[in-house]
């Protein structure tokens, strides 16, 4: 079974596992969570910037997902549905806390440089630049550029039209280019 990574969406987990989880099978639900957890952690951490807070928010999201799973209609992929729950939990937390956090960037975004010093410096610069983005724009960048979601799936996760994903990405990428001093 392929699992989610911080660099792209997972191959959808098997229907039999989803069906068992829908019927309340805790082992099947645990398999679902193991399957999607790495990507959900990457997104949640980048939005919140705090590992303890990430754990709390994910725990809340997983409880919500477990309770709601029997009502999951399958209109979207299960992974998209879970990302939406986690994203909403992050946005709720950000609204509650109303304070920014510095967002360190470890392995969530790929680097194009082979030199470890340049990689570390670039990640730090990128982390600082990402931290300046509004959470909605940061989420679009993370879903599309770091997680590998297409615009359609990103729109479903974020609960917005595809065109809004495109405009948020455009604004965010422009801001990031300016902050990083690159031309593009």
């Amino acid at each position: 079974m392929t699992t989610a990574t911080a660099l792209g969406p997972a191959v959808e987990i098997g229907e039999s596992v989803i069906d068992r989880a829908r019927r309340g099978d805790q082992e099947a639900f645990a398999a679902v969570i193991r399957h999607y957890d790495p990507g959900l952690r990457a997104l949640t951490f980048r939005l919140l910037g705090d590992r303890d807070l990430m754990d709390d928010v994910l725990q809340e999201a997983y409880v919500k997902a477990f309770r709601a799973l029997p009502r999951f209609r399958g209109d979207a992929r299960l992974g998209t549905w879970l990302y939406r729950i986690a994203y909403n939990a992050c946005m709720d937390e950000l609204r509650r806390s109303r304070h920014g956090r510095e967002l360190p960037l470890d392995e969530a975004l790929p680097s194009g440089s082979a030199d470890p010093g340049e990689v570390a410096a670039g990640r730090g610069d990128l982390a600082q630049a990402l931290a300046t983005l509004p959470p909605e724009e940061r989420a679009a960048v993370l879903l599309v550029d770091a997680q590998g979601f297409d615009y359609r799936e990103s729109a479903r996760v974020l609960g917005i039209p595809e065109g809004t994903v495109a405009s948020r990405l455009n604004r965010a990428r422009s801001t990031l280019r300016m902050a990083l001093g690159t031309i593009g």
Side-chain angles (χ1 to χ4, degrees), residues 23-58:
R23 291 191 305 269
D25 182 328
Q26 292 182 2
E27 285 184 32
F29 184 74
V32 167
I33 295 306
R34 278 192 305 275
H35 185 78
Y36 292 103
D37 188 65
L40 290 167
R41 283 187 177 282
L43 175 68
T44 304
F45 181 67
R46 294 295 158 251
L47 288 172
L48 301 173
D50 179 281
R51 290 190 192 285
D52 292 332
L53 193 54
M54 170 196 69
D55 288 337
D56 292 345
V57 167
L58 280 176

PDB file of all heavy atoms in Angstrom, residues 23-58:
ATOM      1  N   ARG A  23     -18.060   1.584   8.793  1.00  0.00           N
ATOM      2  CA  ARG A  23     -18.907   0.785   9.683  1.00  0.00           C
ATOM      3  C   ARG A  23     -18.399   0.803  11.126  1.00  0.00           C
ATOM      4  O   ARG A  23     -18.924   0.082  11.967  1.00  0.00           O
ATOM      5  CB  ARG A  23     -19.006  -0.644   9.162  1.00  0.00           C
ATOM      6  CG  ARG A  23     -19.791  -0.759   7.861  1.00  0.00           C
ATOM      7  CD  ARG A  23     -20.102  -2.204   7.485  1.00  0.00           C
ATOM      8  NE  ARG A  23     -18.936  -3.067   7.414  1.00  0.00           N
ATOM      9  CZ  ARG A  23     -18.215  -3.287   6.314  1.00  0.00           C
ATOM     10  NH1 ARG A  23     -18.552  -2.707   5.174  1.00  0.00           N
ATOM     11  NH2 ARG A  23     -17.178  -4.091   6.329  1.00  0.00           N
ATOM     12  N   GLY A  24     -17.364   1.623  11.401  1.00  0.00           N
ATOM     13  CA  GLY A  24     -16.886   1.771  12.773  1.00  0.00           C
ATOM     14  C   GLY A  24     -15.706   0.897  13.145  1.00  0.00           C
ATOM     15  O   GLY A  24     -15.322   0.857  14.313  1.00  0.00           O
ATOM     16  N   ASP A  25     -15.124   0.184  12.186  1.00  0.00           N
ATOM     17  CA  ASP A  25     -13.956  -0.651  12.455  1.00  0.00           C
ATOM     18  C   ASP A  25     -12.764   0.255  12.777  1.00  0.00           C
ATOM     19  O   ASP A  25     -12.242   0.958  11.911  1.00  0.00           O
ATOM     20  CB  ASP A  25     -13.663  -1.518  11.233  1.00  0.00           C
ATOM     21  CG  ASP A  25     -12.491  -2.472  11.420  1.00  0.00           C
ATOM     22  OD1 ASP A  25     -11.537  -2.134  12.146  1.00  0.00           O
ATOM     23  OD2 ASP A  25     -12.527  -3.553  10.801  1.00  0.00           O
ATOM     24  N   GLN A  26     -12.349   0.245  14.043  1.00  0.00           N
ATOM     25  CA  GLN A  26     -11.278   1.137  14.480  1.00  0.00           C
ATOM     26  C   GLN A  26      -9.938   0.797  13.843  1.00  0.00           C
ATOM     27  O   GLN A  26      -9.134   1.693  13.574  1.00  0.00           O
ATOM     28  CB  GLN A  26     -11.181   1.141  16.004  1.00  0.00           C
ATOM     29  CG  GLN A  26     -12.396   1.796  16.632  1.00  0.00           C
ATOM     30  CD  GLN A  26     -12.304   1.851  18.139  1.00  0.00           C
ATOM     31  OE1 GLN A  26     -11.330   1.448  18.750  1.00  0.00           O
ATOM     32  NE2 GLN A  26     -13.357   2.380  18.759  1.00  0.00           N
ATOM     33  N   GLU A  27      -9.681  -0.472  13.599  1.00  0.00           N
ATOM     34  CA  GLU A  27      -8.425  -0.856  12.942  1.00  0.00           C
ATOM     35  C   GLU A  27      -8.386  -0.334  11.509  1.00  0.00           C
ATOM     36  O   GLU A  27      -7.347   0.116  11.038  1.00  0.00           O
ATOM     37  CB  GLU A  27      -8.239  -2.373  12.966  1.00  0.00           C
ATOM     38  CG  GLU A  27      -7.844  -2.904  14.329  1.00  0.00           C
ATOM     39  CD  GLU A  27      -7.575  -4.395  14.305  1.00  0.00           C
ATOM     40  OE1 GLU A  27      -7.097  -4.913  13.264  1.00  0.00           O
ATOM     41  OE2 GLU A  27      -7.838  -5.037  15.336  1.00  0.00           O
ATOM     42  N   ALA A  28      -9.499  -0.408  10.823  1.00  0.00           N
ATOM     43  CA  ALA A  28      -9.565   0.114   9.453  1.00  0.00           C
ATOM     44  C   ALA A  28      -9.389   1.627   9.463  1.00  0.00           C
ATOM     45  O   ALA A  28      -8.684   2.190   8.612  1.00  0.00           O
ATOM     46  CB  ALA A  28     -10.898  -0.267   8.803  1.00  0.00           C
ATOM     47  N   PHE A  29     -10.008   2.314  10.436  1.00  0.00           N
ATOM     48  CA  PHE A  29      -9.838   3.760  10.523  1.00  0.00           C
ATOM     49  C   PHE A  29      -8.375   4.097  10.822  1.00  0.00           C
ATOM     50  O   PHE A  29      -7.830   5.052  10.249  1.00  0.00           O
ATOM     51  CB  PHE A  29     -10.762   4.369  11.579  1.00  0.00           C
ATOM     52  CG  PHE A  29     -10.675   5.865  11.624  1.00  0.00           C
ATOM     53  CD1 PHE A  29     -11.245   6.635  10.625  1.00  0.00           C
ATOM     54  CD2 PHE A  29     -10.005   6.503  12.659  1.00  0.00           C
ATOM     55  CE1 PHE A  29     -11.146   8.021  10.645  1.00  0.00           C
ATOM     56  CE2 PHE A  29      -9.906   7.883  12.688  1.00  0.00           C
ATOM     57  CZ  PHE A  29     -10.475   8.645  11.682  1.00  0.00           C
ATOM     58  N   ALA A  30      -7.740   3.337  11.687  1.00  0.00           N
ATOM     59  CA  ALA A  30      -6.319   3.561  11.982  1.00  0.00           C
ATOM     60  C   ALA A  30      -5.480   3.392  10.718  1.00  0.00           C
ATOM     61  O   ALA A  30      -4.526   4.153  10.488  1.00  0.00           O
ATOM     62  CB  ALA A  30      -5.847   2.613  13.078  1.00  0.00           C
ATOM     63  N   ALA A  31      -5.842   2.432   9.871  1.00  0.00           N
ATOM     64  CA  ALA A  31      -5.124   2.240   8.600  1.00  0.00           C
ATOM     65  C   ALA A  31      -5.327   3.457   7.689  1.00  0.00           C
ATOM     66  O   ALA A  31      -4.382   3.890   7.015  1.00  0.00           O
ATOM     67  CB  ALA A  31      -5.608   0.962   7.907  1.00  0.00           C
ATOM     68  N   VAL A  32      -6.532   4.005   7.679  1.00  0.00           N
ATOM     69  CA  VAL A  32      -6.807   5.203   6.890  1.00  0.00           C
ATOM     70  C   VAL A  32      -5.928   6.349   7.375  1.00  0.00           C
ATOM     71  O   VAL A  32      -5.282   7.043   6.583  1.00  0.00           O
ATOM     72  CB  VAL A  32      -8.312   5.580   6.964  1.00  0.00           C
ATOM     73  CG1 VAL A  32      -8.565   6.974   6.420  1.00  0.00           C
ATOM     74  CG2 VAL A  32      -9.159   4.550   6.235  1.00  0.00           C
ATOM     75  N   ILE A  33      -5.885   6.536   8.684  1.00  0.00           N
ATOM     76  CA  ILE A  33      -5.094   7.629   9.250  1.00  0.00           C
ATOM     77  C   ILE A  33      -3.605   7.423   8.955  1.00  0.00           C
ATOM     78  O   ILE A  33      -2.916   8.371   8.550  1.00  0.00           O
ATOM     79  CB  ILE A  33      -5.350   7.768  10.769  1.00  0.00           C
ATOM     80  CG1 ILE A  33      -6.797   8.169  11.019  1.00  0.00           C
ATOM     81  CG2 ILE A  33      -4.376   8.760  11.405  1.00  0.00           C
ATOM     82  CD1 ILE A  33      -7.257   9.418  10.282  1.00  0.00           C
ATOM     83  N   ARG A  34      -3.100   6.226   9.132  1.00  0.00           N
ATOM     84  CA  ARG A  34      -1.682   5.954   8.808  1.00  0.00           C
ATOM     85  C   ARG A  34      -1.387   6.281   7.352  1.00  0.00           C
ATOM     86  O   ARG A  34      -0.318   6.774   7.021  1.00  0.00           O
ATOM     87  CB  ARG A  34      -1.332   4.498   9.094  1.00  0.00           C
ATOM     88  CG  ARG A  34      -1.021   4.201  10.535  1.00  0.00           C
ATOM     89  CD  ARG A  34      -0.407   2.816  10.722  1.00  0.00           C
ATOM     90  NE  ARG A  34      -1.209   1.743  10.158  1.00  0.00           N
ATOM     91  CZ  ARG A  34      -2.215   1.136  10.785  1.00  0.00           C
ATOM     92  NH1 ARG A  34      -2.551   1.481  12.005  1.00  0.00           N
ATOM     93  NH2 ARG A  34      -2.886   0.172  10.198  1.00  0.00           N
ATOM     94  N   HIS A  35      -2.330   6.013   6.498  1.00  0.00           N
ATOM     95  CA  HIS A  35      -2.160   6.237   5.066  1.00  0.00           C
ATOM     96  C   HIS A  35      -2.006   7.723   4.738  1.00  0.00           C
ATOM     97  O   HIS A  35      -1.170   8.107   3.921  1.00  0.00           O
ATOM     98  CB  HIS A  35      -3.364   5.637   4.333  1.00  0.00           C
ATOM     99  CG  HIS A  35      -3.278   5.672   2.848  1.00  0.00           C
ATOM    100  ND1 HIS A  35      -2.527   4.779   2.131  1.00  0.00           N
ATOM    101  CD2 HIS A  35      -3.847   6.501   1.942  1.00  0.00           C
ATOM    102  CE1 HIS A  35      -2.644   5.045   0.839  1.00  0.00           C
ATOM    103  NE2 HIS A  35      -3.436   6.099   0.701  1.00  0.00           N
ATOM    104  N   TYR A  36      -2.807   8.565   5.366  1.00  0.00           N
ATOM    105  CA  TYR A  36      -2.838   9.995   5.039  1.00  0.00           C
ATOM    106  C   TYR A  36      -2.067  10.874   6.011  1.00  0.00           C
ATOM    107  O   TYR A  36      -1.840  12.052   5.726  1.00  0.00           O
ATOM    108  CB  TYR A  36      -4.293  10.479   4.957  1.00  0.00           C
ATOM    109  CG  TYR A  36      -5.014   9.887   3.778  1.00  0.00           C
ATOM    110  CD1 TYR A  36      -5.920   8.847   3.954  1.00  0.00           C
ATOM    111  CD2 TYR A  36      -4.760  10.339   2.488  1.00  0.00           C
ATOM    112  CE1 TYR A  36      -6.569   8.280   2.870  1.00  0.00           C
ATOM    113  CE2 TYR A  36      -5.401   9.780   1.403  1.00  0.00           C
ATOM    114  CZ  TYR A  36      -6.303   8.749   1.604  1.00  0.00           C
ATOM    115  OH  TYR A  36      -6.937   8.186   0.526  1.00  0.00           O
ATOM    116  N   ASP A  37      -1.688  10.358   7.149  1.00  0.00           N
ATOM    117  CA  ASP A  37      -1.097  11.162   8.208  1.00  0.00           C
ATOM    118  C   ASP A  37       0.148  11.955   7.794  1.00  0.00           C
ATOM    119  O   ASP A  37       0.237  13.141   8.145  1.00  0.00           O
ATOM    120  CB  ASP A  37      -0.777  10.278   9.423  1.00  0.00           C
ATOM    121  CG  ASP A  37      -0.348  11.091  10.616  1.00  0.00           C
ATOM    122  OD1 ASP A  37      -1.181  11.864  11.140  1.00  0.00           O
ATOM    123  OD2 ASP A  37       0.820  10.962  11.030  1.00  0.00           O
ATOM    124  N   PRO A  38       1.112  11.408   7.069  1.00  0.00           N
ATOM    125  CA  PRO A  38       2.301  12.220   6.744  1.00  0.00           C
ATOM    126  C   PRO A  38       1.969  13.505   5.985  1.00  0.00           C
ATOM    127  O   PRO A  38       2.473  14.577   6.332  1.00  0.00           O
ATOM    128  CB  PRO A  38       3.157  11.276   5.896  1.00  0.00           C
ATOM    129  CG  PRO A  38       2.750   9.899   6.336  1.00  0.00           C
ATOM    130  CD  PRO A  38       1.273  10.016   6.617  1.00  0.00           C
ATOM    131  N   GLY A  39       1.128  13.425   4.994  1.00  0.00           N
ATOM    132  CA  GLY A  39       0.759  14.621   4.239  1.00  0.00           C
ATOM    133  C   GLY A  39      -0.077  15.586   5.057  1.00  0.00           C
ATOM    134  O   GLY A  39       0.096  16.806   4.968  1.00  0.00           O
ATOM    135  N   LEU A  40      -0.974  15.058   5.874  1.00  0.00           N
ATOM    136  CA  LEU A  40      -1.791  15.907   6.735  1.00  0.00           C
ATOM    137  C   LEU A  40      -0.922  16.620   7.764  1.00  0.00           C
ATOM    138  O   LEU A  40      -1.143  17.796   8.063  1.00  0.00           O
ATOM    139  CB  LEU A  40      -2.875  15.079   7.424  1.00  0.00           C
ATOM    140  CG  LEU A  40      -3.982  14.573   6.501  1.00  0.00           C
ATOM    141  CD1 LEU A  40      -4.825  13.516   7.208  1.00  0.00           C
ATOM    142  CD2 LEU A  40      -4.849  15.715   6.007  1.00  0.00           C
ATOM    143  N   ARG A  41       0.079  15.924   8.289  1.00  0.00           N
ATOM    144  CA  ARG A  41       1.005  16.545   9.247  1.00  0.00           C
ATOM    145  C   ARG A  41       1.794  17.667   8.580  1.00  0.00           C
ATOM    146  O   ARG A  41       1.985  18.729   9.170  1.00  0.00           O
ATOM    147  CB  ARG A  41       1.971  15.518   9.820  1.00  0.00           C
ATOM    148  CG  ARG A  41       1.356  14.662  10.855  1.00  0.00           C
ATOM    149  CD  ARG A  41       2.338  13.731  11.571  1.00  0.00           C
ATOM    150  NE  ARG A  41       1.580  13.044  12.580  1.00  0.00           N
ATOM    151  CZ  ARG A  41       1.220  13.577  13.742  1.00  0.00           C
ATOM    152  NH1 ARG A  41       1.591  14.776  14.057  1.00  0.00           N
ATOM    153  NH2 ARG A  41       0.489  12.902  14.592  1.00  0.00           N
ATOM    154  N   ALA A  42       2.254  17.435   7.373  1.00  0.00           N
ATOM    155  CA  ALA A  42       3.033  18.459   6.670  1.00  0.00           C
ATOM    156  C   ALA A  42       2.193  19.714   6.457  1.00  0.00           C
ATOM    157  O   ALA A  42       2.640  20.826   6.736  1.00  0.00           O
ATOM    158  CB  ALA A  42       3.550  17.913   5.339  1.00  0.00           C
ATOM    159  N   LEU A  43       0.975  19.545   5.967  1.00  0.00           N
ATOM    160  CA  LEU A  43       0.093  20.689   5.738  1.00  0.00           C
ATOM    161  C   LEU A  43      -0.217  21.402   7.048  1.00  0.00           C
ATOM    162  O   LEU A  43      -0.089  22.630   7.149  1.00  0.00           O
ATOM    163  CB  LEU A  43      -1.215  20.244   5.071  1.00  0.00           C
ATOM    164  CG  LEU A  43      -2.253  21.352   4.910  1.00  0.00           C
ATOM    165  CD1 LEU A  43      -1.784  22.388   3.889  1.00  0.00           C
ATOM    166  CD2 LEU A  43      -3.591  20.761   4.512  1.00  0.00           C
ATOM    167  N   THR A  44      -0.609  20.658   8.055  1.00  0.00           N
ATOM    168  CA  THR A  44      -1.012  21.235   9.327  1.00  0.00           C
ATOM    169  C   THR A  44       0.148  21.971   9.992  1.00  0.00           C
ATOM    170  O   THR A  44      -0.021  23.081  10.504  1.00  0.00           O
ATOM    171  CB  THR A  44      -1.568  20.143  10.258  1.00  0.00           C
ATOM    172  OG1 THR A  44      -2.634  19.473   9.585  1.00  0.00           O
ATOM    173  CG2 THR A  44      -2.101  20.708  11.553  1.00  0.00           C
ATOM    174  N   PHE A  45       1.321  21.388   9.959  1.00  0.00           N
ATOM    175  CA  PHE A  45       2.476  22.043  10.565  1.00  0.00           C
ATOM    176  C   PHE A  45       2.810  23.338   9.848  1.00  0.00           C
ATOM    177  O   PHE A  45       3.105  24.358  10.480  1.00  0.00           O
ATOM    178  CB  PHE A  45       3.689  21.104  10.572  1.00  0.00           C
ATOM    179  CG  PHE A  45       4.897  21.732  11.215  1.00  0.00           C
ATOM    180  CD1 PHE A  45       4.906  22.026  12.567  1.00  0.00           C
ATOM    181  CD2 PHE A  45       6.004  22.043  10.460  1.00  0.00           C
ATOM    182  CE1 PHE A  45       6.008  22.623  13.160  1.00  0.00           C
ATOM    183  CE2 PHE A  45       7.115  22.633  11.041  1.00  0.00           C
ATOM    184  CZ  PHE A  45       7.117  22.924  12.399  1.00  0.00           C
ATOM    185  N   ARG A  46       2.755  23.332   8.517  1.00  0.00           N
ATOM    186  CA  ARG A  46       3.069  24.545   7.757  1.00  0.00           C
ATOM    187  C   ARG A  46       2.046  25.645   7.997  1.00  0.00           C
ATOM    188  O   ARG A  46       2.376  26.817   7.940  1.00  0.00           O
ATOM    189  CB  ARG A  46       3.147  24.253   6.257  1.00  0.00           C
ATOM    190  CG  ARG A  46       4.269  23.358   5.892  1.00  0.00           C
ATOM    191  CD  ARG A  46       5.617  24.013   6.169  1.00  0.00           C
ATOM    192  NE  ARG A  46       6.609  22.972   6.301  1.00  0.00           N
ATOM    193  CZ  ARG A  46       7.184  22.623   7.437  1.00  0.00           C
ATOM    194  NH1 ARG A  46       6.926  23.262   8.541  1.00  0.00           N
ATOM    195  NH2 ARG A  46       8.045  21.655   7.478  1.00  0.00           N
ATOM    196  N   LEU A  47       0.809  25.268   8.268  1.00  0.00           N
ATOM    197  CA  LEU A  47      -0.207  26.283   8.539  1.00  0.00           C
ATOM    198  C   LEU A  47      -0.118  26.822   9.963  1.00  0.00           C
ATOM    199  O   LEU A  47      -0.356  27.999  10.206  1.00  0.00           O
ATOM    200  CB  LEU A  47      -1.612  25.731   8.288  1.00  0.00           C
ATOM    201  CG  LEU A  47      -1.971  25.521   6.822  1.00  0.00           C
ATOM    202  CD1 LEU A  47      -3.298  24.801   6.698  1.00  0.00           C
ATOM    203  CD2 LEU A  47      -1.999  26.847   6.091  1.00  0.00           C
ATOM    204  N   LEU A  48       0.251  25.964  10.911  1.00  0.00           N
ATOM    205  CA  LEU A  48       0.235  26.356  12.321  1.00  0.00           C
ATOM    206  C   LEU A  48       1.615  26.718  12.865  1.00  0.00           C
ATOM    207  O   LEU A  48       1.719  27.527  13.783  1.00  0.00           O
ATOM    208  CB  LEU A  48      -0.375  25.243  13.174  1.00  0.00           C
ATOM    209  CG  LEU A  48      -1.805  24.853  12.812  1.00  0.00           C
ATOM    210  CD1 LEU A  48      -2.243  23.639  13.612  1.00  0.00           C
ATOM    211  CD2 LEU A  48      -2.740  26.023  13.023  1.00  0.00           C
ATOM    212  N   GLY A  49       2.664  26.072  12.370  1.00  0.00           N
ATOM    213  CA  GLY A  49       4.019  26.390  12.795  1.00  0.00           C
ATOM    214  C   GLY A  49       4.399  25.907  14.178  1.00  0.00           C
ATOM    215  O   GLY A  49       5.383  26.365  14.745  1.00  0.00           O
ATOM    216  N   ASP A  50       3.672  24.972  14.730  1.00  0.00           N
ATOM    217  CA  ASP A  50       3.939  24.498  16.085  1.00  0.00           C
ATOM    218  C   ASP A  50       3.586  23.015  16.146  1.00  0.00           C
ATOM    219  O   ASP A  50       2.450  22.633  15.867  1.00  0.00           O
ATOM    220  CB  ASP A  50       3.085  25.309  17.068  1.00  0.00           C
ATOM    221  CG  ASP A  50       3.270  24.890  18.503  1.00  0.00           C
ATOM    222  OD1 ASP A  50       2.686  23.862  18.899  1.00  0.00           O
ATOM    223  OD2 ASP A  50       3.994  25.601  19.226  1.00  0.00           O
ATOM    224  N   ARG A  51       4.563  22.200  16.512  1.00  0.00           N
ATOM    225  CA  ARG A  51       4.345  20.749  16.510  1.00  0.00           C
ATOM    226  C   ARG A  51       3.286  20.309  17.527  1.00  0.00           C
ATOM    227  O   ARG A  51       2.466  19.436  17.242  1.00  0.00           O
ATOM    228  CB  ARG A  51       5.648  20.006  16.745  1.00  0.00           C
ATOM    229  CG  ARG A  51       6.580  20.122  15.569  1.00  0.00           C
ATOM    230  CD  ARG A  51       7.792  19.201  15.677  1.00  0.00           C
ATOM    231  NE  ARG A  51       8.780  19.551  14.677  1.00  0.00           N
ATOM    232  CZ  ARG A  51       8.697  19.272  13.388  1.00  0.00           C
ATOM    233  NH1 ARG A  51       7.637  18.654  12.912  1.00  0.00           N
ATOM    234  NH2 ARG A  51       9.654  19.625  12.558  1.00  0.00           N
ATOM    235  N   ASP A  52       3.313  20.893  18.724  1.00  0.00           N
ATOM    236  CA  ASP A  52       2.312  20.512  19.726  1.00  0.00           C
ATOM    237  C   ASP A  52       0.913  20.909  19.275  1.00  0.00           C
ATOM    238  O   ASP A  52      -0.035  20.139  19.417  1.00  0.00           O
ATOM    239  CB  ASP A  52       2.631  21.159  21.079  1.00  0.00           C
ATOM    240  CG  ASP A  52       3.900  20.596  21.699  1.00  0.00           C
ATOM    241  OD1 ASP A  52       4.238  19.422  21.428  1.00  0.00           O
ATOM    242  OD2 ASP A  52       4.562  21.331  22.465  1.00  0.00           O
ATOM    243  N   LEU A  53       0.803  22.104  18.734  1.00  0.00           N
ATOM    244  CA  LEU A  53      -0.481  22.568  18.228  1.00  0.00           C
ATOM    245  C   LEU A  53      -0.933  21.708  17.047  1.00  0.00           C
ATOM    246  O   LEU A  53      -2.113  21.361  16.938  1.00  0.00           O
ATOM    247  CB  LEU A  53      -0.384  24.035  17.819  1.00  0.00           C
ATOM    248  CG  LEU A  53      -1.675  24.775  17.559  1.00  0.00           C
ATOM    249  CD1 LEU A  53      -2.634  24.674  18.733  1.00  0.00           C
ATOM    250  CD2 LEU A  53      -1.357  26.237  17.271  1.00  0.00           C
ATOM    251  N   MET A  54       0.016  21.332  16.188  1.00  0.00           N
ATOM    252  CA  MET A  54      -0.290  20.452  15.069  1.00  0.00           C
ATOM    253  C   MET A  54      -0.905  19.151  15.589  1.00  0.00           C
ATOM    254  O   MET A  54      -1.929  18.690  15.091  1.00  0.00           O
ATOM    255  CB  MET A  54       0.980  20.142  14.271  1.00  0.00           C
ATOM    256  CG  MET A  54       0.810  19.039  13.237  1.00  0.00           C
ATOM    257  SD  MET A  54       2.393  18.388  12.634  1.00  0.00           S
ATOM    258  CE  MET A  54       2.998  17.531  14.099  1.00  0.00           C
ATOM    259  N   ASP A  55      -0.267  18.555  16.609  1.00  0.00           N
ATOM    260  CA  ASP A  55      -0.781  17.303  17.171  1.00  0.00           C
ATOM    261  C   ASP A  55      -2.188  17.476  17.723  1.00  0.00           C
ATOM    262  O   ASP A  55      -3.060  16.628  17.505  1.00  0.00           O
ATOM    263  CB  ASP A  55       0.157  16.785  18.266  1.00  0.00           C
ATOM    264  CG  ASP A  55       1.468  16.240  17.723  1.00  0.00           C
ATOM    265  OD1 ASP A  55       1.520  15.843  16.530  1.00  0.00           O
ATOM    266  OD2 ASP A  55       2.453  16.206  18.493  1.00  0.00           O
ATOM    267  N   ASP A  56      -2.411  18.580  18.442  1.00  0.00           N
ATOM    268  CA  ASP A  56      -3.741  18.834  19.011  1.00  0.00           C
ATOM    269  C   ASP A  56      -4.795  18.983  17.919  1.00  0.00           C
ATOM    270  O   ASP A  56      -5.880  18.415  18.000  1.00  0.00           O
ATOM    271  CB  ASP A  56      -3.724  20.096  19.875  1.00  0.00           C
ATOM    272  CG  ASP A  56      -2.899  19.929  21.147  1.00  0.00           C
ATOM    273  OD1 ASP A  56      -2.568  18.783  21.519  1.00  0.00           O
ATOM    274  OD2 ASP A  56      -2.576  20.970  21.765  1.00  0.00           O
ATOM    275  N   VAL A  57      -4.456  19.766  16.896  1.00  0.00           N
ATOM    276  CA  VAL A  57      -5.409  20.025  15.815  1.00  0.00           C
ATOM    277  C   VAL A  57      -5.675  18.739  15.025  1.00  0.00           C
ATOM    278  O   VAL A  57      -6.824  18.457  14.669  1.00  0.00           O
ATOM    279  CB  VAL A  57      -4.906  21.168  14.912  1.00  0.00           C
ATOM    280  CG1 VAL A  57      -5.700  21.245  13.618  1.00  0.00           C
ATOM    281  CG2 VAL A  57      -4.989  22.493  15.665  1.00  0.00           C
ATOM    282  N   LEU A  58      -4.641  17.963  14.771  1.00  0.00           N
ATOM    283  CA  LEU A  58      -4.858  16.709  14.043  1.00  0.00           C
ATOM    284  C   LEU A  58      -5.689  15.734  14.867  1.00  0.00           C
ATOM    285  O   LEU A  58      -6.542  15.030  14.314  1.00  0.00           O
ATOM    286  CB  LEU A  58      -3.527  16.072  13.643  1.00  0.00           C
ATOM    287  CG  LEU A  58      -2.887  16.669  12.408  1.00  0.00           C
ATOM    288  CD1 LEU A  58      -1.530  16.031  12.143  1.00  0.00           C
ATOM    289  CD2 LEU A  58      -3.780  16.523  11.187  1.00  0.00           C
TER     290      LEU A  58
END
